[in-house]
Amino acid sequence: MSFRTSPALGSARAGGPPSAVDYVEDVSPGSGALPPRAWYASSDAKALSLDGTWRFRLSATADAEDESFAEEGYDPAGWAEVTVPGHWVLQGEGAFGLPIYTNHLYPFPVDPPHVPTENPTGDHLRVFDLPDDWPSEGGAVVRFDGVESCARVWLNGTDLGEFKGSRLAHEFAVGHLLKPKGNVLAVRVHQWSAGSYLEDQDQWWLPGIFREVTLLHRPAGSALDFFVHASYDHVSGEGTLRVDSDVDGRVLVPALDIDVATGEPVTALVAPWSAESPRLYDGELVTEGERIPLRIGFRTVALEDGLIKVNGKAVLFKGVNRHEWHPEKGRTLDLATMREDVLLMKRHNINAVRTSHYPPHPAFLDLCDEYGLWVIDECDLETHGFTEQDWRDNPVDDDRWTPALLDRAARMVERDKNHPSVVLWSLGNEADTGRGLTAMAEWIHGRDPERLVHYEGDWNCRDTDVYSRMYADHAEVEQIGKELDGGTLGRRKLPFIQCEYGHAMGNGPGGIADYQELFEKYERLQGGFIWEWIDHGVKHPELGYAYGGDFGEELHDGNFVCDGLVFPDRTPSPGLLEYKKVVEPVSIEGSDGTVRVTNKYDFADLSALAFEWSYQVDGETVEAGTLSVPALAPGESADLKLPEPPAHLDGSETRWTVRALLAADTAWAPKDHVVAWGQFPAVAGVRPSLVPSASPVREEGRITLGPAAFDGRTGALRTIGGVAVENPRLDVWRATTDNDDGTEWKSGLCYSTLWRTLGLHRMRHRLVGVELESQALVVRTRVAPAAREVGLAAEYRWTSDGSRLKLTVSVTPEGQWTVPLPRLGVRLGLSAVGSGAGSAVDSGVASGVASGVVSPVASAVDEVKWFGGGPGEAYPDTRAASEVGRWSATVDQLQTPYLRPQENGARADVRWVEVGGLRIEGDPEFSFAARRWTTEQLDAATHLTDLVAGETVWVNLDHRHHGIGTASCGPGVLPQYHLLAEPAEFSFVFSEVSG
């Protein structure tokens, strides 16, 4: 029987095209390929991998070489070699061209469907023998899982056809052409084609055969295609299974005692599949010629009560957008790398993936099925570059392109339809709207009514089942949650997701905790997907990692391709640690010796978790134990009494920490893996104090006060005991972050531009006066940018009790300040006595480097200890993951290696820090960062390799920071995280560390 109605996908042709390369600019999807079908990893039918070393010839144009290379007996002497799968521009050390990065600009003239004559074309040759046990009966297909962007294929001199759709599978029937020995598979791949207009995703342009090539035997009576329908009734607990196949056969599921004919439904009591409990049942599809393993997950996706529901419950997506990326192999990923992605996501409380902006390698979806991730599977479609001409000639609204769009939709749906993890189909990304998208949506709805359809660009939801947006700010998201956002009546009845938000570019994203609060407050808001998973840095011998422009591209978008929650080597960034904390599935809050535990899972109870408490005194754990928490159902809370705290010294700061850990090993993390944690104070500590008792004394050329010596003329601090010190100076600058450099979508403001225009990166200091009081040294200055009338009056008041030194800084803005400050604090330098190294004054280093205390310390001083937030960096709107405790790290470990260097590494809520022989206590709490380079050097660097460690370690102590936001793409810093220019006062107490 025939159970499938596919759109027009092209048909096999007799003979070649009218011209040898006309197909390159043909808007059709190609010709000769078989209809799409379900992908499965293996069966008992024979398969032969054709991956490995291929002979390769690169030409500058599509028609530079004739087709003789495809003939049997052709001698490729002199050809190079490349590895398949792979991108040729990432092989050969530049001999085969270089990568190109653009965000949305086409790197060729927008003249659809035409592409430049300069069209790098790679001819690939693979000669292979059939295994001795290859069956002589039946057919065979050669399968290409991914080729960018257009390919023409020959086997043994016979033209099989050509295709477009880079991230989609294509198969050709070849059984009649095979011979036992010396088969010649020839593939001509063009970098540019009409298909390139449909693949303008934010990523590197990387031509080549980048996914596997496989020869598959197709026995007589084998299934050409099959569709597993496995629904779940959450009321009765029953699952209904029906497997449709284009040949008759039987479906076996031993664990459920199922043995039924294809096409026949069968019902059984089952455990449902969800991202939290990904229960899969092993089965088989048995036909006359083949046995195909099945992994069946029972679940039902529905739009009910205006919500996306799975198995009768609304789900909250805590997701990421995932491009496929490897820093050396590009979009060629092996199974281990894909598994690493999934495990990292699960371990960081991520429950959903949007496959931006194309179907991933199908093995990745197998992993999502196995470990449990909700998936929005997105079509290989984006025409973003047409926005530059107000979407004129956009293929999405041009009937000539509709067959190509339908082909892409069908190849996604047919390939991936048997994955329970896939709950929504996405039509593509940033392609505006048009008749082609409507045709795609109608076909998908007809082919698979058991899933929902998504597309962000359809704001009126004409073709989609959800209202989706990207980078809507917090205020708008709240209006949407309240259903006060306007729009069509149909849209207002639909659930809302942020398919992209929290742009993870460089330091950030900021404000995601505020988004999550809204998602959890309003039922209509069903979460979102951080942009994005991984930085697309390309491994580079001189730069470390390269980004846009580093390969000499004429057009490029710089480091905009480095916007992930993990670095290219898949090391988690502070942004991922923040996201893990923000979306954790258990809420732990407490006060007055009681802790409230709330289950925030959608489906699972808390029986898989164990809880423990610990009690800290001044940041050190003094007692710990287990906490008995009932197996709360989703949404339930319990208030639990904590033990009586141990005795402690008066004045100590005490707090409770409660953690939820895995009670046993799971498939994705070991026992005791921390899933969630909460921390809350018990007794507040005493702020640092100093009762002045020493008096300043003017001596020859200097002033002494307790353990300190100052310059006699300027009042500049020189030493504290045995530690040489550079003068503290008020500072307001930071090496701007990618989010500082971004432009807020609504306001159009760019803070780094405002700051640099005002001159905050080049502040000047004027000494107003030095006064000696009976028990204080007072230095008054004015700090202001050149060419501007605004400034900051800064008073430094020094006092001492004989052994310690206290600095109190008072800041008063002067003039009309209209922009917030990047930072606010002072800067100080530390070095070995007599070294004279690291002087912020004598070395000519400009002032205004950091808002805090910047300390040059001898490079031998490496370990930093502190009591405060840690272990990683935190800023005002990225501090959820910062845990108060005692921490230590080397100076190098304090750095965050953002691919474009920028402000990083600040530890927040610090009570005291020990560095360079000094202990520094703050009132109020402060932030610090320590580096082996100045902020000017950090600000000027474009790659990490630009940062060369000097003889000095610079330590920044900051009173306050401006927030981070996500303006590199989207909204900026929320008002509550702005650092306004207003009067401020803060203090530090300095003392030598014994030993």
Side-chain angles (χ1 to χ4, degrees):
M1 69 177 181
S2 174
F3 65 92
R4 177 177 61 185
T5 304
S6 294
L9 303 177
S11 58
R13 64 163 191 272
S19 167
V21 295
D22 281 354
Y23 63 89
V24 174
E25 295 184 341
D26 190 339
V27 299
S28 75
S31 62
L34 296 169
R37 65 188 182 110
W39 187 92
Y40 48 92
S42 64
S43 75
D44 66 345
K46 293 291 183 182
L48 175 65
S49 171
L50 298 179
D51 298 343
T53 300
W54 289 49
R55 302 303 295 271
F56 178 76
R57 175 181 65 188
L58 182 65
S59 303
T61 65
D63 58 356
E65 302 286 349
D66 61 27
E67 302 166 11
S68 60
F69 79 102
E71 299 295 332
E72 295 180 88
Y74 181 86
D75 183 5
W79 284 34
E81 293 182 341
V82 293
T83 298
V84 172
H87 305 279
W88 70 66
V89 294
L90 296 181
Q91 303 182 57
E93 298 181 345
F96 306 140
L98 296 168
I100 300 170
Y101 167 62
T102 61
N103 168 29
H104 75 278
L105 297 174
Y106 290 107
F108 47 79
V110 182
D111 181 24
H114 305 297
V115 294
T117 299
E118 297 81 15
N119 187 358
T121 295
D123 290 333
H124 299 69
L125 274 179
R126 176 76 153 86
V127 179
F128 65 93
D129 300 334
L130 294 179
D132 292 339
D133 60 350
W134 191 267
S136 58
E137 297 82 18
V141 299
V142 61
R143 181 183 184 93
F144 296 88
D145 281 308
V147 183
E148 183 175 331
S149 75
C150 172
R152 187 175 175 191
V153 185
W154 296 262
L155 181 64
N156 294 332
T158 298
D159 184 5
L160 302 179
E162 78 287 335
F163 62 90
K164 308 176 189 77
S166 298
R167 270 68 70 174
L168 299 161
H170 295 82
E171 292 181 330
F172 296 90
V174 296
H176 59 297
L177 300 174
L178 290 173
K179 56 186 183 179
K181 303 290 184 182
N183 293 282
V184 178
L185 180 61
V187 186
R188 173 164 284 176
V189 181
H190 308 281
Q191 174 156 19
W192 310 122
S193 69
S196 302
Y197 285 99
L198 304 180
E199 296 173 4
D200 190 27
Q201 295 100 338
D202 176 9
Q203 61 181 338
W204 293 94
W205 299 88
L206 299 173
I209 305 172
F210 68 94
R211 288 183 186 159
E212 294 83 356
V213 181
T214 312
L215 183 69
L216 300 169
H217 179 239
R218 305 310 300 141
S222 61
L224 296 180
D225 197 10
F226 60 94
F227 197 161
V228 177
H229 303 269
S231 62
Y232 178 73
D233 186 330
H234 65 279
V235 176
S236 67
E238 293 179 324
T240 300
L241 175 66
R242 188 186 82 248
V243 178
D244 293 333
S245 172
D246 53 7
V247 298
D248 292 338
R250 299 199 68 79
V251 178
L252 311 178
V253 187
L256 298 175
D257 198 26
I258 289 176
D259 181 346
V260 66
T262 54
E264 295 295 327
V266 60
T267 301
L269 289 174
V270 299
W273 187 97
S274 73
E276 295 168 9
S277 301
R279 179 66 167 94
L280 294 173
Y281 290 89
D282 291 326
E284 271 191 316
L285 169 60
V286 181
T287 69
E288 178 186 352
E290 189 177 20
R291 302 179 74 96
I292 301 172
L294 304 177
R295 303 204 77 190
I296 302 165
F298 291 89
R299 59 104 187 94
T300 296
V301 183
L303 181 62
E304 295 177 353
D305 305 319
L307 299 172
I308 303 168
K309 291 187 177 182
V310 180
N311 301 335
K313 291 187 176 182
V315 296
L316 185 61
F317 295 118
K318 302 170 182 179
V320 292
N321 288 273
R322 176 185 176 269
H323 268 299
E324 295 183 302
W325 187 250
H326 186 282
E328 296 173 275
K329 299 177 182 178
R331 284 187 288 279
T332 298
L333 301 187
D334 59 19
L335 186 61
T337 301
M338 290 184 268
R339 179 175 282 108
E340 185 178 359
D341 280 346
V342 171
L343 294 178
L344 278 169
M345 291 175 189
K346 293 290 291 186
R347 290 168 184 167
H348 289 86
N349 295 327
I350 289 165
N351 72 359
V353 177
R354 176 180 174 226
T355 69
S356 53
H357 297 292
Y358 43 83
H361 191 292
F364 178 78
L365 298 179
D366 284 343
L367 295 169
C368 294
D369 296 341
E370 178 182 351
Y371 292 101
L373 289 168
W374 307 116
V375 174
I376 298 180
D377 199 357
E378 192 147 274
C379 194
D380 191 7
L381 173 63
E382 181 169 336
T383 63
H384 200 171
F386 284 90
T387 189
E388 295 295 314
Q389 55 198 57
D390 297 323
W391 299 104
R392 278 192 316 278
D393 300 322
N394 183 11
V396 162
D397 199 30
D398 184 334
D399 290 340
R400 295 174 299 169
W401 295 80
T402 298
L405 304 185
L406 288 171
D407 177 71
R408 289 168 184 252
R411 291 190 180 278
M412 171 183 68
V413 171
E414 301 296 0
R415 192 196 74 168
D416 298 342
K417 58 183 178 281
N418 294 327
H419 290 282
S421 57
V422 176
V423 291
L424 284 88
W425 301 115
S426 181
L427 303 179
N429 183 68
E430 291 177 314
D432 200 45
T433 58
R435 292 164 287 177
L437 283 174
T438 299
M440 293 169 69
E442 290 175 349
W443 185 86
I444 293 174
H445 276 122
R447 177 69 179 115
D448 183 19
E450 298 167 357
R451 290 182 176 93
L452 305 182
V453 171
H454 165 274
Y455 176 67
E456 184 274 337
D458 183 14
W459 284 17
N460 290 324
C461 302
R462 178 183 65 181
D463 300 320
T464 56
D465 301 309
V466 298
Y467 177 30
S468 177
R469 291 282 300 281
M470 56 176 67
Y471 308 107
D473 64 22
H474 298 76
E476 184 180 4
V477 168
E478 182 159 32
Q479 289 296 99
I480 294 170
K482 293 177 177 178
E483 301 182 15
L484 299 175
D485 54 302
T488 63
L489 180 61
R491 186 184 88 181
R492 294 199 301 273
K493 293 181 178 179
L494 294 179
F496 174 81
I497 62 172
Q498 281 260 61
C499 70
E500 293 180 25
Y501 81 110
H503 196 250
M505 184 176 179
N507 188 333
I512 56 174
D514 306 88
Y515 273 119
Q516 191 65 23
E517 183 179 342
L518 294 172
F519 296 159
E520 295 178 4
K521 181 177 180 180
Y522 297 103
E523 185 180 52
R524 185 189 183 193
L525 307 181
Q526 294 198 249
F529 297 78
I530 294 291
W531 185 268
E532 65 156 305
W533 176 241
I534 189 168
D535 284 344
H536 299 202
V538 177
K539 192 73 173 176
H540 193 280
E542 286 115 30
L543 301 175
Y545 290 110
Y547 49 73
D550 289 333
F551 296 103
E553 301 101 306
E554 292 178 337
L555 288 175
H556 66 85
D557 286 290
N559 67 313
F560 202 68
V561 76
C562 300
D563 45 14
L565 291 173
V566 298
F567 297 120
D569 65 357
R570 285 174 164 76
T571 299
S573 76
L576 180 57
L577 302 179
E578 176 81 357
Y579 195 42
K580 175 186 178 180
K581 176 63 179 160
V582 166
V583 300
E584 61 189 9
V586 182
S587 171
I588 300 172
E589 301 172 315
S591 63
D592 299 326
T594 300
V595 60
R596 168 165 285 191
V597 177
T598 302
N599 182 354
K600 297 165 72 173
Y601 283 110
D602 292 326
F603 296 92
D605 65 23
L606 298 188
S607 59
L609 301 180
F611 290 78
E612 64 179 27
W613 62 267
S614 59
Y615 189 75
Q616 290 84 38
V617 176
D618 288 337
E620 292 188 308
T621 296
V622 296
E623 282 197 19
T626 60
L627 183 67
S628 179
V629 177
L632 300 170
E636 288 186 344
S637 299
D639 293 321
L640 307 166
K641 190 69 175 174
L642 292 166
E644 285 297 318
H648 59 274
L649 296 175
D650 291 341
S652 297
E653 178 181 345
T654 65
R655 66 185 53 241
W656 296 95
T657 303
V658 176
R659 304 181 194 278
L661 311 98
L662 290 179
D665 291 347
T666 69
W668 50 270
K671 180 180 182 292
D672 295 330
H673 167 78
V674 177
V675 173
W677 60 273
Q679 193 176 55
F680 41 93
V683 179
V686 176
R687 292 185 179 276
S689 63
L690 181 151
V691 178
S693 60
S695 299
V697 177
R698 187 181 293 277
E699 302 175 353
E700 183 178 350
R702 68 175 189 166
I703 300 168
T704 61
L705 176 62
F710 301 80
D711 183 275
R713 182 181 64 84
T714 65
L717 180 65
R718 292 306 184 206
T719 62
I720 301 176
V723 180
V725 183
E726 298 297 338
N727 187 43
R729 297 167 65 139
L730 187 73
D731 216 348
V732 298
W733 186 246
R734 71 184 183 195
T736 55
T737 68
D738 288 313
N739 285 302
D740 292 337
D741 294 339
T743 300
E744 294 183 359
W745 278 27
K746 281 193 174 180
S747 69
L749 293 177
C750 172
Y751 278 107
S752 73
T753 298
L754 294 174
W755 293 338
R756 292 183 193 276
T757 300
L758 186 58
L760 299 186
H761 60 305
R762 48 177 174 77
M763 300 288 273
R764 298 291 181 261
H765 295 245
R766 176 169 63 85
L767 180 64
V768 175
V770 179
E771 301 175 10
L772 276 67
E773 299 179 355
S774 62
Q775 292 185 327
L777 169 65
V778 180
V779 180
R780 294 185 174 88
T781 67
R782 187 176 191 271
V783 184
R788 305 294 176 184
E789 64 177 355
V790 297
L792 299 168
E795 178 187 279
Y796 310 90
R797 174 172 290 271
W798 296 98
T799 57
S800 174
D801 63 2
S803 61
R804 297 179 298 158
L805 183 69
K806 181 177 182 179
L807 168 64
T808 299
V809 182
S810 300
V811 181
T812 303
E814 297 178 344
Q816 297 298 313
W817 284 85
T818 60
V819 300
L821 300 173
R823 305 164 80 158
L824 182 65
V826 292
R827 100 182 195 160
L828 176 73
L830 308 178
S831 61
V833 172
S835 71
S839 171
V841 178
D842 298 340
S843 66
V845 175
S847 62
V849 177
S851 111
V853 180
V854 181
S855 312
V857 187
S859 59
V861 179
D862 193 44
E863 186 177 31
V864 181
K865 299 178 180 179
W866 73 98
F867 172 28
E873 73 180 27
Y875 292 83
D877 53 352
T878 65
R879 63 191 304 164
S882 181
E883 179 181 348
V884 174
R886 295 270 191 109
W887 310 101
S888 66
T890 66
V891 171
D892 289 342
Q893 289 169 342
L894 290 173
Q895 313 312 305
T896 304
Y898 297 117
L899 268 65
R900 186 192 72 80
Q902 56 197 272
E903 166 62 38
N904 74 90
R907 269 60 178 178
D909 304 314
V910 175
R911 281 71 167 160
W912 55 257
V913 61
E914 292 181 354
V915 59
L918 285 185
R919 179 184 176 99
I920 307 168
E921 301 171 81
D923 181 15
E925 296 151 1
F926 59 98
S927 295
F928 87 89
R931 306 185 181 112
R932 297 189 184 278
W933 35 78
T934 67
T935 302
E936 294 94 339
Q937 293 168 327
L938 184 63
D939 200 23
T942 60
H943 294 81
L944 289 171
T945 50
D946 295 334
L947 296 172
V948 179
E951 293 299 318
T952 296
V953 172
W954 298 84
V955 180
N956 307 325
L957 307 174
D958 302 308
H959 173 56
R960 283 189 62 196
H961 276 267
H962 188 65
I964 297 297
T966 181
S968 56
C969 188
V973 176
L974 286 166
Q976 60 265 37
Y977 305 119
H978 283 206
L979 174 51
L980 302 179
E982 54 191 15
E985 184 174 283
F986 49 95
S987 300
F988 299 103
V989 176
F990 303 90
S991 58
E992 284 192 89
V993 178
S994 61

